[in-house]
Amino acid sequence: MAVQDEVTWVLETIKTNWPGDWPADQDGTERLYRVNRDEPKVLETGERTKGVEFTRASALGASLGSRIPEVAGPDNRRRVTTIVDCRLKGLTSQDGEWGHVDSSTNAKQLALYAQNAIQQELSYPTVDPDADPIGRVAYHTVTVGEPTDRSQEWQDEFFWTWTAELTGYETI
């Protein structure tokens, strides 16, 4: 039995709740890959890597930021806050470049779509119900931080970051 995997849950939730069609070319080739940066693994291809060749697709990555347990009652029950760090990186397609992000507005739209997809699960997100009961957290809330544009740090890449914060109680 495996332990609960909040990172995979975030990445799967983003694709499941994505508003509209998943980013793809006219021929249906997907141009946004989800990357579990902790494994590392690209979910669309199964490739074991932390990165994506940006001429192939843009990358929507996630990794475990922190897990903070706090005692929350006389029975040693623990309230847990798990933070998943998310990011979107892609290369521009302007002026004949080989990327798949049309503009800074398009990059912002992709980041907001990912944020919105997670927000569809605001209350009682079901994160891996078949996970090992030891250390399992029954989450009651997920909140998403506002995406931050960090593109100015990169020459011709768009780069947005945000967090998904899951809060709940650990199974005893």
Side-chain angles (χ1 to χ4, degrees):
M1 198 173 259
V3 296
Q4 201 166 23
D5 186 355
E6 292 84 356
V7 172
T8 298
W9 178 84
V10 164
L11 291 170
E12 288 176 354
T13 298
I14 288 171
K15 189 162 187 179
T16 299
N17 294 341
W18 190 264
D21 295 330
W22 191 250
D25 283 344
Q26 301 291 351
D27 65 2
T29 304
E30 291 183 339
R31 293 301 178 193
L32 181 59
Y33 287 177
R34 296 165 299 145
V35 182
N36 182 328
R37 296 180 48 77
D38 290 341
E39 284 299 322
K41 184 178 181 181
V42 177
L43 275 62
E44 277 65 30
T45 65
E47 185 180 356
R48 296 203 42 85
T49 181
K50 282 187 178 183
V52 169
E53 173 55 50
F54 293 138
T55 59
R56 195 166 153 196
S58 298
L60 184 65
S63 61
L64 185 63
S66 63
R67 180 181 160 112
I68 306 161
E70 310 172 79
V71 175
D75 59 355
N76 203 24
R77 186 174 185 191
R78 297 191 323 165
R79 181 175 189 253
V80 177
T81 301
T82 302
I83 297 176
V84 176
D85 295 325
C86 303
R87 69 187 201 176
L88 169 75
K89 286 185 88 172
L91 191 62
T92 184
S93 61
Q94 292 178 2
D95 300 325
E97 293 291 329
W98 296 99
H100 301 282
V101 180
D102 296 335
S103 64
S104 59
T105 303
N106 179 227
K108 180 179 180 180
Q109 179 185 35
L110 293 172
L112 290 172
Y113 276 13
Q115 176 190 29
N116 180 267
I118 299 167
Q119 287 178 321
Q120 301 307 308
E121 305 291 331
L122 285 177
S123 297
Y124 298 101
T126 304
V127 178
D128 210 354
D130 298 325
D132 192 328
I134 295 176
R136 188 178 182 299
V137 178
Y139 291 106
H140 57 74
T141 308
V142 60
T143 55
V144 182
E146 191 65 28
T148 301
D149 184 3
R150 298 182 52 199
S151 301
Q152 68 278 4
E153 299 172 23
W154 305 90
Q155 185 173 352
D156 55 0
E157 291 178 11
F158 296 105
F159 183 24
W160 286 77
T161 61
W162 65 94
T163 59
E165 183 176 304
L166 294 105
T167 307
Y169 292 93
E170 189 173 59
T171 303
I172 297 179

